[in-house]
Amino acid sequence: MRLKEGFLFIAVIIITCSIIGTFNIQESFSAPSTPLMDQRLKPIPQNLTWYPIMIFGDNRPSNIYANYPPEVFYRVVSEMDAANLLATIGLGDHVGYGNESQYAVFYSIMNSTRLENIWLIMGNHEVVYPNGWAYWRQYIGPEYYITDSIPGWRLALLNTETSLESWNNQLTQSVTGLGERTLILFIHRPVYPYVNHNIQANKNASIHEWANTYGWPPLVVQAHWHGWAYYRFNNTDWVISGSTGSPLYPTSECQPEAICVSAYHYMWLILYPNQTYLFKPVHATGGNLTVTTLNETAYIVINNKVDVYGNPVEIPVRVKYVVGGIEVFIVSIVPANTTIVFNINPTENYLIETNATEFYVYFTKEDPYYATVLLPGDDLSLGRYNVTGDIVLYEPVTLTSPTSTTTTTIKTTTTKTTTTTSPIPTTHQTTTTTPEPDTNTATSTTTSSSTTTSTTIETTLETTTPTQPKPTTTSTLTTTVPTTGTPIHSNPPRDDLQLTLILGITLLGVGIGLFAVLKKR
């Protein structure tokens, strides 16, 4: 009998340990001293030729309790890092449930890139877990963000997950002091088109009342519905750019007048100082965009990406040099199915050589908000501006999904040297029209064609091995103080209190069982 009691006691202990293991007590996390948006802020010069931005949304996993996003998201982040544009906007649902572990993983992924000016808004999944609101502020930044950092424009990243009072306040702030700037709204839950997954009814009524007073902005960029959608209504381009990894939704949910595609994608947007713009949706897995160092003074960019409709698509890219301690950037449109080379030739007074046709060069010295800008028809010799010295290039990072040990791996490609001939830059070309859908070809933006040419560059300068940079932040957030809202979902989370109760009940049962065993003795 005593043997049976012993086995019973051991069984209770094993079951208890199994229950504790099942609930997977999470390790404690130390929130960063500076939120991601603060860390990645960098001044944007106010006199550039055009301003390219990358946009993504809805990268949370299908299992909302998982810490790590889907594999396709790592590919998208790698390509966004390769493009390295002036700003990157996230449209929400970047984590699945709002646990601190999920925030820590997303923060780690984004903070491992070279991306500057990462501006993010929350979606409903960030705050399913009630503490998600606090974790957002600790790991990400403010609950909404309004910025005038691009000349001629105001970008308002508004929070659809907060209270109606806060939502109305955000709408009012988005137009306060707007002046001659043009407003673009970025929100998580869509207003148009109807996709059976739209903004809450009271906030929908509120934004329509607001628009009746102030007018609709020319462009509204949204997410939440997992796919790409474009709809032209009330003289506004309504865009849904809603999946870089979240489970795709069927296009049958989309209203017939809209163009909808169920595809993983990200989106680029170019803003011009004359208040025109261009945008294109890029298929996440259709083709590749690579930016690598060709040798100690040259980059090679290869673009064979397609858009969500399967058409070859151009991509804006910004490559970074440091020449004699001064950061020099070349911003270019890389046409579809094209290889572009950028080189700084120190034997020709640090001449910038490229086969790109649509690009500009900029660098700043004393004033980070005012740049020296060079166009293709200008003398591209950096030496004329006393920008000379050691040349440093930067390899993009390539992110891979976690291994079996659940760690994020960052890889860098190696540098190679090629002896080639030098190209001559051609005439600068710029397209500044607003995109319109083509009902015959099911595409929502204008397209451009260009001649693909190959080029190689010869250089003899010996420099130090390129290093992987970590972008620094030299400015602070200028957004207004946000209002804390309430969670959208009421699903009971497996938080610390619940886990404590479960373990307490389990241990109580163990104690009762042990008492019964000892009493029989």
Side-chain angles (χ1 to χ4, degrees), residues 280-362:
K280 291 283 182 75
V282 181
H283 199 290
T285 59
N288 294 283
L289 172 69
T290 61
V291 180
T292 56
T293 54
L294 186 61
N295 52 41
E296 289 89 349
T297 63
Y299 287 101
I300 182 169
V301 182
I302 302 174
N303 172 30
N304 56 27
K305 295 293 292 184
V306 298
D307 62 19
V308 296
Y309 312 109
N311 304 314
V313 64
E314 65 274 25
I315 305 281
V317 169
R318 185 181 69 148
V319 298
K320 175 183 176 181
Y321 289 90
V322 171
V323 183
I326 297 176
E327 293 183 345
V328 177
F329 296 94
I330 306 175
V331 185
S332 175
I333 295 290
V334 179
N337 296 323
T338 300
T339 297
I340 296 292
V341 174
F342 302 102
N343 182 59
I344 296 179
N345 189 341
T347 65
E348 296 291 338
N349 202 23
Y350 290 82
L351 178 67
I352 293 176
E353 302 169 320
T354 181
N355 63 321
T357 59
E358 189 172 352
F359 72 95
Y360 65 89
V361 180
Y362 77 93

Side-chain angles (χ1 to χ4, degrees), residues 21 53 78 84 114 117 149 163 247 296 316 319 337 359 408 465 510:
I53 299 170
S78 296
N84 193 27
R114 304 174 303 150
N117 297 308
S149 57
S163 65
E296 289 89 349
V319 298
N337 296 323
F359 72 95
T408 301
T465 303
V510 172

